[in-house]
Amino acid sequence: MTLTVTRTLKLQQNLFSTRTLSLSLLKSLSSISRERKPEDQDRREFAEEAKTHNSNLLLVHENREILTMDLDDYTIIKEGEAEILMHNKNKVFFNKAQVHNRDLSIAVLRTFISKRKEEHEARLSRRTKPVKKASEKDASGSSKPAADNEKSNGECEEKVSEKDALGSAAEEVTNERAEDNEKLNGECEVPEEITEDRPCSLTEEQMMTTERKSQGVLEPPRVLEALSASGLRALRYAREVEGIGQVVALDNDKDSVEACRRNIKFNGSIAISKVESHLADARVYMLTHPKEFDVVDLDPYGSPSIFLDSAVQSVADGGLLMCTATDMAVLCGGNGEVCYSKYGSYPLRGKYCHEMALRILLASIESHANRYKRYIVPVLSVQIDFYVRVFVRIYTSASAMKNTPLKLSYVYQCIGCDSFHLQPIGRTISKNNSVRYLPGFGPAVPQECSDCGKKFNMGGPIWSAPIHDQEWVSSILGGVKCMKDRYPAYDHISAVLTSVSEELPDVPLFLSLHNLCATLKCTSPQAVIFRSAVINAGYRISVPFFLQLKYHDIADHGLSCR
């Protein structure tokens, strides 16, 4: 009996001490919040205090939600301005090497938001410009009295053009005749396009206000992270990108969604208000939300091919698709039949295999977009470490989609030497202000190579149009340099963007100087001397991002330097 009472007293004492500790922690948290310390500092101090007492970590947020966990089971990982709780058993996938990917995505996303705003303002100015011109014309060229103009309620442009054509005869028409014609004919029968641009009886300010209402205010861009895992990328988007809207993080793994929601709460009010996590299949979710997201981010573990069809449908017109492919062995020619089954293109093994991997991925995205009368415009395409990453804008236009065969080519690579040739899939003929689309000319190469006499391997189709937008690259690089303290991988991504900005944009693939010298059985010269000789011979040359030689002839020479 005495032992039982003693054990009971000890249990009560332990329970009382635990409650006292919890109350002291809550009081310390409330005192910190009264001092209005920064959110990160508040959370860090409270976590350290809880850890020193070896107790449960209690996180209290503005929405009064309480999150309870054992701090010893988690490690706080900080990247940029976001922090996540990583379980020691590593239940949720976290790739530390992808910090370059996330930093580059944030840089591109910032540029996209600024470009999107500029394009919106340009559209508004184009639509309001005819309104201003028409109002100025009515103010300067009106010869009728103001009272008569009010009665006529503004004649249509077709009547004004008739009056100019008839000259003096039209001037003899009286106001009474005009009023009678208006009564007989009713409203003027003109197309809607003309009536929208005409001010008629409305003033300039009224028309501009109506135009703004019809166009609507530019909403912050909505972002979809299709495969979120721990949610670190979505949290960085929400906390570091100014002007961003809602960020939707998806995953079909229950543990990943729980970790993502826990990290959202751990990052405070900004993350809670902007980021939402859902347990869903990304393909089904994107198919059921067509054209609802301004930015879609695909970063799967492996090939993104199964997500491309639904991704191109969920991006809004003019939106941005960011796509990563980590199956480099397939894209670089290790398994050609697998690459064809996933991407619809056959790869070739060569020094330019990484650039070819980028162009195969772009061609696959274009193929999926064309099925829905859409097309892509690449703004940046890079290969980093073990993956390729492309950033493309997606537009809808049935007429512009016809230009796709002009952007794709087959590749013929000699098996004996390093020479290759491109054969475009399509061509155009202009005649009488009309354009005809025809198949490309062929064959591009003979049966045997003219340099070494060997056969050719055929690969593709690949994207042979430019894979970068140099204006975008300059803007992204400028933004990164201005905010270099906010990029953990600044040195790496700035070097990548600098190399990309110096590439020749209109020259697909490249040649290797060492392979050329091996074919000729000569000693390889210094790269600086070789580049100088090529430039002095009148050719363009660059050292591309892939650290090989890419060069092409100047148009005046009409030669092809291969």
Side-chain angles (χ1 to χ4, degrees):
M1 184 68 179
T2 307
L3 292 174
T4 304
V5 172
T6 305
R7 290 175 182 175
T8 305
L9 290 174
K10 287 184 178 180
L11 289 174
Q12 289 178 354
Q13 289 176 358
N14 291 335
L15 181 62
F16 178 78
S17 62
T18 303
R19 290 177 179 174
T20 305
L21 179 59
S22 301
L23 289 174
S24 63
L25 289 174
L26 289 174
K27 288 180 181 179
S28 62
L29 176 63
S30 61
S31 62
I32 292 174
S33 61
R34 287 194 208 100
E35 295 175 2
R36 298 183 179 179
K37 292 185 178 181
E39 189 176 352
D40 293 339
Q41 184 179 356
D42 183 1
R43 186 173 62 252
R44 195 176 297 106
E45 289 181 0
F46 191 62
E48 291 176 357
E49 184 175 355
K51 190 172 183 179
T52 56
H53 290 285
N54 193 20
S55 62
N56 287 340
L57 175 62
L58 301 177
L59 299 177
V60 182
H61 296 284
E62 295 179 2
N63 61 351
R64 309 308 301 169
E65 284 193 54
I66 300 178
L67 185 64
T68 307
M69 67 191 73
D70 191 355
L71 188 64
D72 294 333
D73 295 338
Y74 294 90
T75 302
I76 299 177
I77 298 177
K78 181 176 177 61
E79 183 180 294
E81 296 182 11
E83 293 181 350
I84 62 172
L85 294 167
M86 181 57 59
H87 200 278
N88 294 335
K89 294 182 179 180
N90 197 18
K91 295 181 179 180
V92 180
F93 179 73
F94 168 70
N95 195 343
K96 184 178 179 181
Q98 289 283 57
V99 61
H100 310 112
N101 190 320
R102 290 184 283 267
D103 275 5
L104 189 61
S105 302
I106 290 174
V108 175
L109 191 53
R110 284 172 174 154
T111 303
F112 170 73
I113 292 176
S114 62
K115 295 281 186 182
R116 181 171 172 262
K117 185 177 179 181
E118 293 175 2
E119 293 171 358
H120 178 73
E121 293 175 353
R123 283 195 299 268
L124 285 179
S125 63
R126 283 198 303 267
R127 294 190 178 186
T128 55
K129 192 174 182 180
V131 177
K132 294 181 179 180
K133 286 184 177 180
S135 60
E136 291 175 359
K137 185 176 180 180
D138 292 342
S140 60
S142 60
S143 58
K144 296 182 181 181
D148 293 339
N149 288 338
E150 290 178 359
K151 289 181 181 179
S152 62
N153 197 25
E155 292 187 339
C156 300
E157 292 182 359
E158 289 187 355
K159 291 187 176 182
V160 175
S161 61
E162 286 180 4
K163 181 179 286 188
D164 294 337
L166 294 175
S168 60
E171 293 179 358
E172 296 177 358
V173 179
T174 59
N175 296 334
E176 295 178 359
R177 180 108 178 244
E179 292 175 1
D180 293 338
N181 289 337
E182 266 191 275
K183 291 179 182 178
L184 291 173
N185 297 331
E187 295 182 354
C188 303
E189 297 180 357
V190 292
E192 293 181 4
E193 298 177 355
I194 299 177
T195 57
E196 287 180 359
D197 293 338
R198 253 183 90 260
C200 290
S201 61
L202 298 176
T203 62
E204 180 182 351
E205 294 182 359
Q206 288 174 337
M207 283 300 298
M208 293 180 67
T209 304
T210 305
E211 188 66 31
R212 290 194 186 98
K213 288 182 179 179
S214 62
Q215 180 66 22
V217 180
L218 183 63
E219 298 292 336
R222 297 188 66 204
V223 181
L224 173 65
E225 188 190 1
L227 306 158
S228 61
S230 63
L232 176 59
R233 186 185 299 266
L235 292 170
R236 289 196 64 186
Y237 288 166
R239 292 179 63 88
E240 299 182 33
V241 181
E242 297 79 6
I244 199 171
Q246 197 72 16
V247 181
V248 179
L250 301 179
D251 208 295
N252 61 352
D253 181 62
K254 198 171 183 180
D255 293 336
S256 298
V257 174
E258 291 177 359
C260 184
R261 291 174 179 174
R262 179 169 60 245
N263 292 328
I264 291 172
K265 296 174 183 178
F266 186 69
N267 279 267
S269 58
I270 297 177
I272 292 173
S273 62
K274 287 189 176 183
V275 184
E276 57 184 51
S277 179
H278 299 287
L279 178 64
D281 190 327
R283 294 169 294 180
V284 177
Y285 191 90
M286 289 187 289
L287 284 174
T288 53
H289 295 76
K291 296 184 179 181
E292 289 191 13
F293 295 96
D294 301 289
V295 180
V296 173
D297 193 329
L298 289 178
D299 188 11
Y301 185 79
S303 173
S305 59
I306 60 175
F307 302 100
L308 293 179
D309 192 82
S310 53
V312 296
Q313 299 181 63
S314 62
V315 181
D317 285 338
L320 184 68
L321 174 62
M322 305 186 288
C323 182
T324 302
T326 59
D327 54 337
M328 296 299 292
V330 173
L331 286 168
C332 292
N335 303 95
E337 66 282 359
V338 178
C339 182
Y340 188 83
S341 65
K342 290 184 177 181
Y343 300 98
S345 181
Y346 209 96
L348 296 175
R349 304 201 65 168
K351 288 293 184 179
Y352 51 72
C353 61
H354 293 115
E355 182 178 348
M356 193 171 189
L358 281 172
R359 296 183 180 275
I360 288 175
L361 179 57
L362 290 173
S364 179
I365 298 174
E366 175 79 355
S367 174
H368 286 282
N370 288 166
R371 298 167 193 173
Y372 308 100
K373 298 181 180 180
R374 315 192 83 184
Y375 66 98
I376 68 171
V377 177
V379 296
L380 179 64
S381 306
V382 296
Q383 182 267 326
I384 302 176
D385 299 334
F386 55 91
Y387 62 89
V388 291
R389 178 79 163 169
V390 297
F391 303 85
V392 300
R393 301 192 68 179
I394 297 181
Y395 298 91
T396 304
S397 174
S399 59
M401 185 190 65
K402 297 178 181 178
N403 294 321
T404 295
L406 308 178
K407 307 172 187 175
L408 303 177
S409 299
Y410 288 100
V411 183
Y412 292 91
Q413 180 186 359
C414 178
I415 62 176
C417 61
D418 202 30
S419 61
F420 62 88
H421 302 269
L422 297 176
Q423 177 177 323
I425 293 180
R427 60 189 174 90
T428 58
I429 295 178
S430 300
K431 185 177 181 181
N432 297 331
N433 296 328
S434 63
V435 179
R436 292 185 61 193
Y437 293 87
L438 300 173
F441 286 122
V445 294
Q447 287 290 325
E448 297 179 351
C449 178
S450 58
D451 297 325
C452 65
K454 301 287 185 171
K455 299 290 186 180
F456 286 94
N457 282 331
M458 178 177 159
I462 66 170
W463 180 273
S464 55
I467 60 176
H468 312 295
D469 187 326
Q470 293 300 328
E471 183 182 354
W472 272 70
V473 174
S474 300
S475 300
I476 297 169
L477 182 59
V480 168
K481 290 183 178 179
C482 292
M483 307 173 67
K484 61 181 180 180
D485 296 335
R486 301 182 64 180
Y487 294 100
Y490 167 76
D491 294 336
H492 196 159
I493 65 173
S494 62
V496 169
L497 292 171
T498 302
S499 299
V500 168
S501 65
E502 296 174 354
E503 281 192 20
L504 296 177
D506 55 343
V507 184
L509 307 182
F510 54 85
L511 297 173
S512 170
L513 179 59
H514 296 288
N515 282 20
L516 291 175
C517 294
T519 302
L520 298 174
K521 295 181 174 56
C522 66
T523 304
S524 177
Q526 293 183 5
V528 176
I529 298 176
F530 181 79
R531 288 199 301 269
S532 177
V534 171
I535 293 173
N536 290 330
Y539 298 93
R540 294 181 298 154
I541 187 171
S542 69
V543 179
F545 167 67
F546 305 95
L547 301 179
Q548 300 293 334
L549 293 177
K550 175 183 289 190
Y551 53 94
H552 196 267
D553 58 293
I554 298 177
D556 296 339
H557 288 74
L559 301 174
S560 179
C561 188
R562 289 284 186 260

